[in-house]
Amino acid sequence: MVIPSLIKWIATFLQYRKLKVKVKLEFSDWIVILSRVLQGSVLGPVLFLIFINDLPLWIRHSMMLLFSDHTQVWTKVTDSRDEALLQQDLESLSNWTKHWSLQFNVDKCKSMRIAHEGHWSS
C-alpha cells in the first residue's frame, strides 16, 4: 500500500540524522539530530506546510496570511469589541503553538497600527 510506505519513507528521512560542522579546515564530531528537518532539502518545506496547514482554522475573526514561515494576522478595529476579537485570535495563535509545540519567534513579532489622525484613541 502506498500511504504506509510513504509514511515509513518520511519517518526514515526524519530519524537518525547525523550532523557535523566545518569551520575553516576543522570539523566537529558527528552528532545525532533528534528532531528538525534538514535545511536545504526539498521535503523540508513540504513537511512544514503540512504541519502548519491547520493554523488558519484557529483564527475566527481576523484575516490571516501565511507565506513560507511568515504569519500575518490583521483586522479593522473600530471599537472595543473588534479589539477583543483580535485579542481572541492572538490568544488562539498562542494556543496553537502550545498544542503543536512550535513557538513563534517573539523577537520577530511586530505590531502595526494604521489610523487616520483623530480616529484612534490611545
Side-chain angles (χ1 to χ4, degrees):
M1 197 171 184
V2 174
I3 297 298
S5 298
L6 178 62
I7 292 171
K8 184 177 179 182
W9 181 77
I10 291 172
T12 302
F13 174 78
L14 296 173
Q15 296 174 339
Y16 311 113
R17 313 261 333 157
K18 289 184 178 180
L19 168 77
K20 71 177 175 177
V21 177
K22 178 182 176 187
V23 177
K24 296 188 180 181
L25 298 175
E26 298 292 321
F27 287 92
S28 69
D29 293 332
W30 285 100
I31 60 169
V32 176
I33 306 298
L34 301 176
S35 64
R36 309 266 175 166
V37 175
L38 201 60
Q39 284 191 340
S41 68
V42 173
L43 189 55
V46 173
L47 292 175
F48 179 76
L49 290 174
I50 291 169
F51 188 77
I52 67 164
N53 190 49
D54 74 324
L55 183 56
L57 300 176
W58 290 64
I59 302 301
R60 302 200 181 274
H61 310 289
S62 305
M63 302 295 292
M64 174 179 252
L65 177 65
L66 295 172
F67 178 76
S68 183
D69 62 346
H70 301 281
T71 304
Q72 293 179 0
V73 176
W74 73 95
T75 192
K76 183 177 182 179
V77 176
T78 58
D79 56 30
S80 60
R81 182 179 180 280
D82 293 338
E83 192 174 317
L85 292 174
L86 175 59
Q87 185 60 44
Q88 280 181 19
D89 283 342
L90 295 175
E91 289 169 7
S92 290
L93 283 176
S94 178
N95 291 335
W96 180 89
T97 66
K98 292 172 189 165
H99 179 79
W100 290 113
S101 299
L102 180 68
Q103 298 299 311
F104 287 106
N105 185 340
V106 177
D107 293 334
K108 292 184 177 181
C109 291
K110 307 288 182 217
S111 65
M112 182 181 345
R113 177 174 48 180
I114 301 171
H116 296 286
E117 190 174 330
H119 291 260
W120 186 275
S121 59
S122 297

